[in-house]
Amino acid sequence: MTEDDIYRTSTQYRLWSFTPEALASLRATTNATAADGVKAAFRTLKLDSEDRYGENASGAEVDCLSIEEEQKIISYYCLQTLIFVDFCEYPTNVKATAVQYLKRFYLTNSPMTYHPKEIMPTAVYLAMKSEDNFHYVKSFAEKLPNVTTEDILAPEFLLTQGLRFTFDVRHPYHGLEGGFMELLALANGKGESPGAMQEDMLDLDPLHGTSVKATDIKELVARCQRAHGKAKELLKTSALLTDAYFLYTPSQIWLSTLLLVDEPLARFYLDTKIPSTSDMKPKLFTVLRQCAEMLRSAPAAQPDKDEKKELKRIDKKLAQCRNPQKLDLVGINRAQKRDPEMSGGDGLDEKVAKKRKLEREQSMKESEDLFGPALAVKRD
């Protein structure tokens, strides 16, 4: 079984990989469904108001977000996720996973239904647990202003539903580190045909904008290290703020970053893997260039003045078109608790709640028994 075969068995490939057309179609469906839900919720509120006060309630047609406006507000909160995780000094894999959780959730959910500001802390907290970097929720909540532990935990099950209960995210970082180690080995004269490979690397074209080739091993190693650092920075920013994870494999993503920062070095590396006569090489370079162009067009780390003005406009519009039935996630979460008293009659079915209560009481009774529960008596 090849690495490609292994990757095709992953949930990332089976559930979270798309063509550009399929991705656009899914977002359009999500936007239309959410807009219909918002309008239906406002109509319900209007009818309730008419019944309560016995008069026609005024209310204009709801102006919902467009697909483009949704993507701008989601991208902004992905950027805020990067800033927040860096502030907390959490590892890179936590940051990358949290952003992907947020982007995956909003493929089938709209900001009009669930505001990204409420989902973002939960995405980071879930990513911490998924990436084995667990912190107590209380200490985590203290890092966020005006956020309680309940605010973080309330949307957690909702988020896991949106993720389709798949928490594994395949990142391109390991591939980049492996490729960098291979290039360093070749630069230092190791591997198959070490002398010839080393000479080929020394003969590589200089980077765009420069005219000096590496003249010795030290300069060659330094070139590899510079390319590695720049490519890694792209993976930590551009790759996370675009749709690269949805459209390309982790290997394609890291190779595209290497192509962006040092094309001669990237071509040399691929020549060591794929014969020049292979029909696959031109197709691969076409895909890598498309991915590289996407990474090049990634949004800036900080929005400029015009972008901030646009984001404020979208946020004001979002405040007027949020689904009124989904505003209080903490209250919704309480209503779904086991005890009907807390849910005000909107929780679990009464028979189910009673059964669970009896099971809890029986379990507590058995745990208090010094010698454990009574053994079942076998009847003749």
Side-chain angles (χ1 to χ4, degrees):
M1 180 178 284
T2 65
E3 290 186 16
D4 286 342
D5 293 330
I6 295 173
Y7 178 70
R8 289 190 184 98
T9 64
S10 68
T11 56
Q12 181 159 318
Y13 177 79
R14 291 187 292 106
L15 301 178
W16 303 107
S17 294
F18 307 90
T19 62
E21 296 77 16
L23 187 63
S25 176
L26 180 58
R27 283 173 171 159
T29 301
T30 298
N31 174 265
T33 303
D36 290 343
V38 167
K39 292 173 183 178
F42 272 99
R43 282 195 297 269
T44 301
L45 281 180
K46 182 179 178 181
L47 291 174
D48 290 345
S49 178
E50 291 175 353
D51 292 340
R52 181 174 299 177
Y53 299 108
E55 56 184 15
N56 291 331
S58 61
E61 183 69 19
V62 183
D63 184 18
C64 295
L65 296 185
S66 66
I67 301 171
E68 292 74 18
E69 289 171 332
E70 283 188 329
Q71 292 311 303
K72 286 180 180 179
I73 202 75
I74 293 168
S75 296
Y76 172 74
Y77 278 98
C78 287
L79 179 59
Q80 293 305 302
T81 302
L82 300 184
I83 295 172
F84 171 66
V85 175
D86 285 340
F87 169 76
C88 296
E89 299 182 340
Y90 294 146
T92 299
N93 57 335
V94 170
K95 173 169 63 177
T97 298
V99 172
Q100 292 311 306
Y101 282 176
L102 204 62
K103 293 176 78 70
R104 288 180 180 184
F105 178 80
Y106 282 107
L107 283 185
T108 53
N109 293 277
S110 168
M112 292 184 287
T113 310
Y114 305 109
H115 200 294
K117 185 178 181 180
E118 298 172 348
I119 302 297
M120 186 198 80
T122 308
V124 176
Y125 182 64
L126 187 60
M128 289 164 58
K129 294 193 287 185
S130 298
E131 296 295 341
D132 198 22
N133 192 65
F134 179 74
H135 288 66
Y136 287 107
V137 66
K138 184 178 180 180
S139 62
F140 175 69
E142 289 172 352
K143 299 179 183 293
L144 292 158
N146 304 318
V147 173
T148 66
T149 58
E150 201 171 12
D151 291 329
I152 295 168
L153 295 177
E156 190 171 34
F157 184 70
L158 177 70
L159 177 60
T160 59
Q161 283 181 311
L163 297 177
R164 302 173 71 174
F165 302 99
T166 59
F167 308 109
D168 179 43
V169 180
R170 305 293 179 94
H171 297 294
Y173 305 112
H174 293 305
L176 174 64
E177 297 304 320
F180 173 60
M181 291 173 66
E182 288 183 289
L183 287 170
L184 280 185
L186 293 173
N188 284 292
K190 299 177 183 179
E192 296 182 6
S193 306
M197 288 287 189
Q198 195 175 51
E199 288 298 323
D200 289 342
M201 288 189 77
L202 287 169
D203 196 42
L204 286 176
D205 292 335
L207 287 172
H208 180 70
T210 63
S211 58
V212 181
K213 293 183 178 181
T215 57
D216 55 29
I217 296 175
K218 184 177 179 180
E219 291 183 2
L220 193 56
V221 169
R223 177 174 181 173
C224 293
Q225 290 173 332
R226 285 194 298 272
H228 170 257
K230 292 178 180 179
K232 190 172 183 179
E233 191 60 32
L234 284 174
L235 292 181
K236 291 162 61 177
T237 52
S238 300
L240 298 177
L241 297 175
T242 61
D243 288 332
Y245 275 67
F246 292 137
L247 301 175
Y248 302 99
T249 67
S251 296
Q252 291 169 344
I253 295 172
W254 82 258
L255 285 169
S256 297
T257 61
L258 186 61
L259 194 67
L260 272 177
V261 301
D262 195 331
E263 183 170 336
L265 193 62
R267 285 184 171 277
F268 168 80
Y269 179 78
L270 288 171
D271 286 341
T272 67
K273 301 295 181 181
I274 306 173
S276 57
T277 56
S278 174
D279 294 336
M280 184 175 68
K281 184 172 281 189
K283 296 178 183 177
L284 176 60
F285 269 103
T286 299
V287 173
L288 294 183
R289 288 197 181 282
Q290 290 172 347
C291 182
E293 190 58 37
M294 174 177 284
L295 298 177
R296 197 197 306 273
S297 62
Q302 287 293 342
D304 59 26
K305 184 178 180 180
D306 291 337
E307 289 171 335
K308 287 181 179 179
K309 185 177 179 180
E310 174 68 359
L311 286 168
K312 287 182 179 179
R313 181 192 69 79
I314 296 172
D315 195 51
K316 287 182 180 179
K317 184 177 178 181
L318 177 57
Q320 300 300 317
C321 65
R322 287 191 63 190
N323 190 326
Q325 297 174 344
K326 306 291 184 179
L327 292 176
D328 185 9
L329 293 182
V330 173
I332 293 172
N333 184 58
R334 287 175 178 171
Q336 294 172 342
K337 297 292 186 179
R338 291 189 179 92
D339 297 327
E341 300 88 83
M342 289 185 64
S343 63
D346 295 326
L348 297 173
D349 180 81
E350 185 177 352
K351 291 183 179 179
V352 177
K354 186 175 181 180
K355 181 181 178 182
R356 291 187 178 180
K357 183 178 180 182
L358 290 172
E359 289 174 350
R360 290 198 304 271
E361 290 175 352
Q362 181 67 20
S363 177
M364 291 176 62
K365 182 179 178 181
E366 291 174 352
S367 65
E368 292 171 357
D369 192 335
L370 180 61
F371 299 102
L375 296 174
V377 178
K378 186 176 179 181
R379 297 180 182 274
D380 293 332

